[in-house]
Amino acid sequence: MKKGKVMMIGPIGSGKSTLTKCLLEDSSPVLKTQALSYMDWIIDTPGEYSENPLFYRSLMATSLEARVLLVIQDATRLHQILPPNFAQGFPIIPLGVITKIDHPDANLAKAEKLLIQVLPQNEIFHVSSVTLKGISELRTAIQKYL
Ligand SMILES: Nc1nc2c(ncn2[C@@H]2O[C@H](COP(=O)(O)OP(=O)(O)O)[C@@H](O)[C@H]2O)c(=O)[nH]1
Ligand SMILES: [Mg+2]
C-alpha cells in the first residue's frame, strides 16, 4: 500500500489511533494523539480537531496531502459532533468507518444513521480493532483509491 495517503478524522476516543495501528499492522501501544501524526501512509489527527470548528481549516489544509478521508464513528456513541455533509467539503474521497463493533454497547443502526449525516453518499465500513473484523475489507477498499 503506497503512494496516496489516508487521513483519519473523528472525535476524541472514537478509535482513530487504534485503527491506524491495525491498518498498518503495528503492534506498538496507542498513545494519546496530541498533534497531526504521520505514520507511513496514514495521517492520524487529534480528536480535538474534529470537535472544535477552529481546527476545521487545519483539517482541510492537511487533507490536501491525502487521497482518502476516513470519517470515524464510534458504534457506542449516541451523538454526532461533525456538521451535516462535513465530508463533502473535503477535496478527497470520503469513506465512513464505524469502529468498536465488538463492543457490548455498540449500536450499529444508530451509528450508521449518525454517520450518514456527515457523508450521505459514500461507502460505510464496520470494523473492530479488537477482533479485527472488517479490517481487511477496509484495507482493500482504501487500496482501490490510493
Ligand atoms: N472494544 C473496542 N475498543 C476500541 C476499539 N478501538 C479502539 N478502542 C478503544 O477506544 C479507546 C480510544 O481509542 P483511540 O484509538 O485512542 O481513539 P482516538 O482518540 O480516536 O485515537 C481506547 O481505549 C481503545 O482501546 C475497538 O475496535 N473495540
Ligand atoms: Mg488518537
Side-chain angles (χ1 to χ4, degrees), residues 9-21:
I9 65 168
I12 300 164
S14 56
K16 298 178 297 299
S17 300
T18 310
L19 177 60
T20 296
K21 301 246 172 177

Side-chain angles (χ1 to χ4, degrees), residues 74-78 99-108 110-111:
D74 182 335
T76 68
R77 286 279 185 109
L78 300 174
T99 55
K100 310 191 189 180
I101 60 168
D102 64 281
H103 198 287
D105 299 335
N107 182 339
L108 294 188
K110 177 78 182 167

Side-chain angles (χ1 to χ4, degrees), residues 16-17 31-33 44-45:
K16 298 178 297 299
S17 300
L31 304 172
K32 173 91 172 72
T33 315
D44 188 14
T45 64

Side-chain angles (χ1 to χ4, degrees), residues 51-82:
E51 297 199 3
N52 185 343
L54 289 174
F55 289 110
Y56 288 175
R57 282 162 63 100
S58 167
L59 288 179
M60 292 287 170
T62 305
S63 75
L64 297 174
E65 301 169 46
R67 209 169 284 177
V68 173
L69 179 73
L70 294 190
V71 182
I72 308 300
Q73 175 72 46
D74 182 335
T76 68
R77 286 279 185 109
L78 300 174
H79 303 283
Q80 181 55 263
I81 52 122
L82 293 170

